[in-house]
Amino acid sequence: MGKVIVFCCDAAYYGLNMVSKLIELPEDVEVVRVPCLGRVEFEAVVRALLDSANVVLAGCHENNCKNIDGSRLAKMRVELLRRMLEFVGMDADRVKHLEISTYEGLKLAEFLNEFAAR
Amino acid sequence: MDLVEVAKKLFDEGVEVIIGYQGNFNVKPIFAKANEVDKLTFNPLCIYNLTNYLTMEGFVDKVDKIGVVVKGCDSKTILQLLDENAFSRDKIVVIGIPCNGVIDVNKIVEEIGEFREFKDNEFKIKWEGDELVVEVNGKSYKFPKDKILLEKCKVCETPNPVVYDVLVGNLIQQPHRKEEFKAVKEIESLSLEQRWEFWIKEFEKCIRCYACRNVCPLCYCESCVLERLEPEFVRRAVRLDENIAYHLIRAYHLANRCVGCGECERVCPVNLPLSLLNKKVAKEVKDLGFSEFLKPIEVGR
Amino acid sequence: MKALDKANLDKFVELLSEEFNVYSITDTDFSTDFDNNKALEILKPIKSAKEIVFPQTEPLFKFDLVGKEIVVNEKQNSTNLMLWIKPCDVRGINILKKVFEKDVKDVYFANKLNNTIFVGLACNNPSRNCFCTSVSITPYYKEGMDVFATSVNGAIIFEALTEKGKEVLEKVNSLLRDATKDEVEKAKEIHLQAENKVRRYNFNTSRLTWDSDVWRISEICLSCGICTYLCPTCHCFDIIDENYVYEGERIRIWDSCMYSEYTLQASGHNPRAYRLQRLRNRIMHKFVWFKEMFDEYACTGCGRCVSYCPVNISLIEILGGV
């Protein structure tokens, strides 16, 4: 079981913050706050994967991104990366993309607990 | 009109340099000035994608007008580069050559056996219908097309240039072919473990000479992510994991941009199947429908 | 002179493997996993033999964030044996030795070299791009080898050149017999035949001046690292710290003078920003400056840079051999 790195866009990060008193995140989870998920360089994701960490990208719903395109781009990039990882024989489930709004912090926290326990 | 005549005319019209091919057996690219126009040739050994030089060291900015010789597959690069605003269209004169397919010179050496003493201008090679005719040292050899042709040419979709200002030779009539991703599907049919084994065997060989990056006409960022130190996404150490990172990133940056000229695979000194990765990305981009509503630049930055 | 029948080849390799890490030629490199019969036939692998004594990535020591200790990588104790290494590759290692042992002895290199035994094989089928005779070695160049072998029809003839070499032959003595006079004669003949097969050029290094016209060839150079990484004599390296989360490692890796990053200074200035400057530096280093320092060319004539150059830039042409 490795580390989990979570890239959160501003909205999802705020959501996670709101529920921080209700539910605790596992120790292995490290949250990285980014302005928008469209800004996450996929090189960073690849780097994390090869340093044996698992990666979660949590951001706005597709048509709810304040930067219009960010969420859509992230979704595509992750999907393409997952297929490539599968192609070279790596476990694609080590990268996840989640659509999380500000009010879905609980959902994200629960998912992270589950994901880290795997 | 043949190539030299066309080139002469272009030089008269104010073209400063023509990027073309020279030599018969030892084929090399050449940056021909007006006085070297006779050196320009084209034969089935002209394998290089010359559009690569247009984006090197800001070459287009130094010269007013450049001529560039392109085959069918290379011409797609020009369209892509124009799409990305790499240079302005009126600086480039595209000399298109319909191409019957190209051959790796090593294959000929392999077939004929070692031949040492000959003069470069006594070596002749050309297509005659479905046969390749090679003349060297007074002897002539014939090879069937499908035996000697490069792998990428067997599935070539565009024997004729898709963009050109001047055309040398006649357009080729060829039944419409469609990319079927045969090699990719073959790998996909393996199990996860088998695929992993296949790829680590390949990636372990990589010596990270970056020839695949430098030869790629679409890898022309002024500062490459691989040269960045902070953050250092790909470490300098040549190990399996860093090699995987490098090749994933390289293929990813070409998502929806790669035109399939196959140069990366050709130059690789240790023969990695790099176009497999590129083809896989192309297939998935098509499958996910990105190409329809996304400008190329957005997926693979 | 001793001889080994090729029928005993498998046993021969087996016997050597008991004592040494036996490396031999495969298509791509020198490896412990090789095909006994094929290794004799292959002319030379794509990668040169330098990576055995000067690996592409060499860890020097490890450190961590918590403790205050530095763990220096252990010295290698087992002995490597390079089977059927070709004269040009051995020559490359001889040249590296000059560089790494000038003034200050490089301990990492010296350790690896001391622990390596070279069993060389005379080259009998030089390729189209070989030019070793033009840089003053021959297909039967023996300097630096411990055992020198020649493949003659059904047998291999051995000649021990050093103490180490004698010990190696002692180990496999049970398989060896004395070479017949015929075989010794035949070996000499094969040497001369091979020498005549190699194309000979009259290199004219005086044309390599700073602003010579020959550097125009750099217009088509891609500035990739193929020629430097495959070259048996290129020896530039970079030392960097690889940092992980709580620990780090200092490693030595090959560097290539063909990269623009190679001379990039912290200020942002790059003294060799253009491909012309970099190509000129590489060739002039090998044929002018190295000659001034050590009185020989830093080139073994293996022809790898000619064979594998992606745009067919030929060293022979640059040196005026054609």
Side-chain angles (χ1 to χ4, degrees):
Chain A
M1 200 181 70
K3 235 177 150 55
V4 179
I5 294 177
V6 193
F7 291 100
C8 281
C9 87
D10 269 350
Y13 187 81
Y14 190 60
L16 205 60
N17 241 358
M18 284 209 295
V19 297
S20 61
K21 290 227 169 62
L22 295 174
I23 186 165
E24 240 177 66
L25 289 182
E27 262 180 31
D28 298 326
V29 175
E30 195 164 307
V31 182
V32 181
R33 181 180 173 173
V34 288
C36 175
L37 221 50
R39 181 65 190 87
V40 177
E41 284 161 301
F42 91 95
E43 292 95 331
V45 179
V46 172
R47 182 72 266 157
L49 286 174
L50 289 168
D51 283 351
S52 63
N54 299 335
V55 182
V56 175
L57 287 96
C60 307
H61 288 263
E62 193 172 326
N63 40 21
N64 206 19
C65 180
K66 71 172 178 196
N67 298 315
I68 303 166
D69 260 352
S71 200
R72 201 190 74 198
L73 287 176
K75 197 175 168 185
M76 281 184 204
R77 288 187 184 135
V78 171
E79 189 53 39
L80 188 56
L81 182 63
R82 281 171 59 105
R83 292 185 184 206
M84 277 178 69
L85 290 177
E86 216 163 75
F87 189 61
V88 296
M90 286 166 78
D91 185 6
D93 283 340
R94 289 175 58 196
V95 198
K96 279 269 182 207
H97 176 252
L98 282 187
E99 292 186 337
I100 298 290
S101 71
T102 317
Y103 295 100
E104 285 174 322
L106 204 59
K107 185 175 149 196
L108 176 60
E110 273 168 3
F111 173 81
L112 288 177
N113 271 311
E114 209 177 286
F115 193 68
R118 250 201 349 216
Chain B
M1 273 203 294
D2 75 335
L3 186 61
V4 176
E5 278 172 48
V6 169
K8 271 182 189 155
K9 212 173 139 213
L10 287 177
F11 279 126
D12 289 341
E13 285 167 9
V15 172
E16 280 181 44
V17 179
I18 289 184
I19 309 177
Y21 304 97
Q22 64 172 337
N24 293 317
F25 178 73
N26 285 315
V27 178
K28 270 203 278 289
I30 181 178
F31 283 50
K33 302 259 166 63
N35 56 352
E36 290 162 317
V37 66
D38 292 329
K39 285 189 181 171
L40 291 172
T41 53
F42 185 81
N43 68 27
L45 291 176
C46 294
I47 202 166
Y48 318 112
N49 185 349
L50 301 175
T51 52
N52 187 21
Y53 293 114
L54 294 174
T55 49
M56 249 188 208
E57 288 179 0
F59 183 66
V60 269
D61 302 329
K62 290 182 204 152
V63 193
D64 273 348
K65 220 166 169 105
I66 311 166
V68 57
V69 179
V70 296
K71 305 187 291 286
C73 45
D74 310 341
S75 64
K76 288 189 279 185
T77 329
I78 295 217
L79 279 191
Q80 182 65 32
L81 285 169
L82 287 173
D83 227 20
E84 295 169 11
N85 277 333
F87 43 74
S88 79
R89 179 70 179 88
D90 36 307
K91 277 204 150 188
I92 314 280
V93 179
V94 184
I95 306 166
I97 299 189
C99 150
N100 276 312
V102 287
I103 299 149
D104 189 356
V105 68
N106 290 328
K107 200 134 188 190
I108 291 191
V109 176
E110 214 176 87
E111 295 284 337
I112 298 184
E114 287 285 326
F115 51 96
R116 286 150 203 287
E117 299 307 326
F118 71 95
K119 290 203 175 86
D120 197 54
N121 53 11
E122 280 168 12
F123 180 88
K124 283 199 183 87
I125 183 165
K126 60 176 182 248
W127 290 110
E128 263 176 26
D130 269 352
E131 272 184 337
L132 180 81
V133 183
V134 182
E135 279 172 39
V136 58
N137 287 345
K139 279 186 213 152
S140 114
Y141 303 84
K142 279 185 183 170
F143 304 104
K145 193 171 187 172
D146 40 321
K147 190 181 160 199
I148 201 153
L149 207 56
L150 214 65
E151 222 37 59
K152 69 162 185 180
C153 295
K154 284 181 189 164
V155 293
C156 176
E157 289 176 49
T158 51
N160 298 316
V162 288
V163 50
Y164 56 85
D165 297 315
V166 204
L167 192 70
V168 178
N170 301 319
L171 292 178
I172 292 166
Q173 303 296 328
Q174 181 192 295
H176 183 68
R177 286 204 194 113
K178 213 176 155 224
E179 176 65 82
E180 281 165 348
F181 302 111
K182 254 189 202 150
V184 176
K185 279 177 185 158
E186 216 165 88
I187 302 287
E188 277 173 351
S189 67
L190 301 173
S191 74
L192 200 70
E193 286 78 27
Q194 280 170 323
R195 262 175 284 169
W196 176 244
E197 244 154 58
F198 171 82
W199 281 111
I200 57 171
K201 225 160 98 210
E202 297 293 344
F203 287 148
E204 256 174 1
K205 286 194 292 187
C206 178
I207 55 170
R208 295 265 285 283
C209 60
Y210 297 141
C212 43
R213 178 193 68 179
N214 289 4
V215 81
C216 182
L218 293 164
C219 269
Y220 60 98
C221 296
E222 256 174 39
S223 133
C224 180
V225 65
L226 302 168
E227 277 152 22
R228 230 193 286 173
L229 278 169
E230 192 59 49
E232 193 181 22
F233 288 130
V234 182
R235 296 203 182 94
R236 302 301 194 270
V238 180
R239 283 193 308 253
L240 178 64
D241 51 344
E242 308 304 325
N243 291 353
I244 294 175
Y246 166 56
H247 285 288
L248 282 182
I249 288 172
R250 193 196 61 82
Y252 205 101
H253 280 186
L254 291 169
N256 212 7
R257 301 171 65 225
C258 175
V259 296
C261 66
E263 285 285 273
C264 44
E265 195 172 74
R266 175 183 69 83
V267 302
C268 183
V270 290
N271 301 322
L272 302 187
L274 294 174
S275 60
L276 257 183
L277 273 179
N278 292 345
K279 285 266 163 68
K280 169 72 181 174
V281 177
K283 180 169 171 268
E284 293 309 332
V285 166
K286 222 182 209 175
D287 188 41
L288 291 164
F290 294 170
S291 47
E292 284 164 25
F293 66 99
L294 201 63
K295 275 193 202 141
I297 202 101
E298 285 182 309
V299 179
R301 280 165 309 142
Chain C
M1 292 268 209
K2 295 279 184 184
L4 171 82
D5 289 316
K6 273 186 190 164
N8 289 335
L9 194 61
D10 289 340
K11 263 191 207 155
F12 173 78
V13 176
E14 207 174 287
L15 216 55
L16 287 177
S17 312
E18 281 174 11
E19 188 106 358
F20 311 107
N21 304 328
V22 182
Y23 286 83
S24 189
I25 300 177
T26 65
D27 281 323
T28 38
D29 55 0
F30 282 87
S31 155
T32 47
D33 178 25
F34 59 93
D35 185 321
N36 288 341
N37 294 313
K38 226 177 135 194
L40 267 177
E41 302 298 322
I42 299 170
L43 177 62
K44 58 194 161 211
I46 296 169
K47 295 190 215 170
S48 72
K50 76 173 168 185
E51 65 174 342
I52 300 296
V53 286
F54 174 43
Q56 182 159 20
T57 308
E58 187 170 21
L60 303 183
F61 56 79
K62 285 191 182 109
F63 47 86
D64 58 41
L65 207 64
V66 195
K68 284 182 179 165
E69 264 179 46
I70 282 176
V71 185
V72 179
N73 246 45
E74 277 176 32
K75 275 192 176 176
Q76 185 191 341
N77 291 320
S78 57
T79 309
N80 295 336
L81 188 133
M82 307 280 287
L83 206 54
W84 316 140
I85 183 172
K86 291 290 180 316
C88 44
D89 276 352
V90 173
R91 165 76 167 176
I93 286 166
N94 290 346
I95 289 171
L96 290 185
K97 199 170 146 193
K98 288 201 170 159
V99 178
F100 282 109
E101 289 183 356
K102 191 177 185 275
D103 302 340
V104 183
K105 219 175 184 183
D106 186 291
V107 285
Y108 295 95
F109 179 84
N111 172 247
K112 288 223 162 58
L113 190 64
N114 284 339
N115 280 322
T116 310
I117 296 170
F118 298 102
V119 179
L121 182 71
C123 170
N124 57 10
N125 189 23
S127 82
R128 156 172 75 95
N129 291 329
C130 287
F131 58 98
C132 56
T133 53
S134 312
V135 286
S136 67
I137 66 165
T138 55
Y140 50 92
Y141 170 87
K142 293 173 190 169
E143 208 183 306
M145 288 184 188
D146 297 304
V147 180
F148 183 72
T150 312
S151 169
V152 182
N153 297 336
I156 302 165
I157 298 183
F158 292 101
E159 182 188 344
L161 299 168
T162 61
E163 283 306 311
K164 267 193 205 167
K166 274 179 196 151
E167 275 170 40
V168 172
L169 289 191
E170 202 60 43
K171 296 251 152 55
V172 288
N173 208 11
S174 57
L175 297 172
L176 301 181
R177 59 173 168 81
D178 281 324
T180 60
K181 216 173 179 187
D182 271 2
E183 281 171 334
V184 178
E185 287 295 310
K186 184 87 178 81
K188 272 184 192 150
E189 202 178 295
I190 285 174
H191 292 165
L192 291 178
Q193 250 175 21
E195 191 177 4
N196 288 332
K197 258 188 181 177
V198 181
R199 279 206 233 175
R200 198 180 280 274
Y201 306 95
N202 289 322
F203 288 154
N204 172 15
T205 45
S206 63
R207 70 191 239 145
L208 302 179
T209 52
W210 194 250
D211 40 15
S212 160
D213 248 6
V214 294
W215 308 125
R216 239 197 93 189
I217 194 88
S218 66
E219 279 173 344
I220 65 171
C221 177
L222 298 170
S223 85
C224 68
I226 291 182
C227 47
T228 48
Y229 281 3
L230 300 187
C231 178
T233 68
C234 270
H235 48 258
C236 290
F237 60 81
D238 191 6
I239 293 180
I240 44 173
D241 289 349
E242 300 266 273
N243 299 315
Y244 308 101
V245 184
Y246 295 115
E247 54 189 11
E249 200 176 16
R250 178 161 297 178
I251 57 167
R252 174 159 90 178
I253 51 161
W254 292 354
D255 205 348
S256 167
C257 56
M258 305 309 280
Y259 300 157
S260 62
E261 202 190 3
Y262 179 76
T263 45
L264 186 62
Q265 295 169 0
S267 65
H269 171 64
N270 193 348
R272 284 186 223 131
Y274 295 101
R275 286 168 293 157
L276 186 147
Q277 298 164 325
R278 298 202 285 271
L279 188 80
R280 177 174 63 197
N281 174 70
R282 180 174 135 80
I283 308 287
M284 288 199 51
H285 173 223
K286 284 198 180 310
F287 291 92
V288 182
W289 302 323
F290 200 88
K291 174 116 180 156
E292 277 169 21
M293 271 169 88
F294 297 103
D295 201 31
E296 58 193 11
Y297 297 141
C299 175
T300 72
C302 69
R304 284 188 179 92
C305 55
V306 186
S307 307
Y308 295 103
C309 180
V311 288
N312 221 338
I313 293 178
S314 163
L315 188 69
I316 301 164
E317 230 166 276
I318 292 176
L319 293 170
V322 180

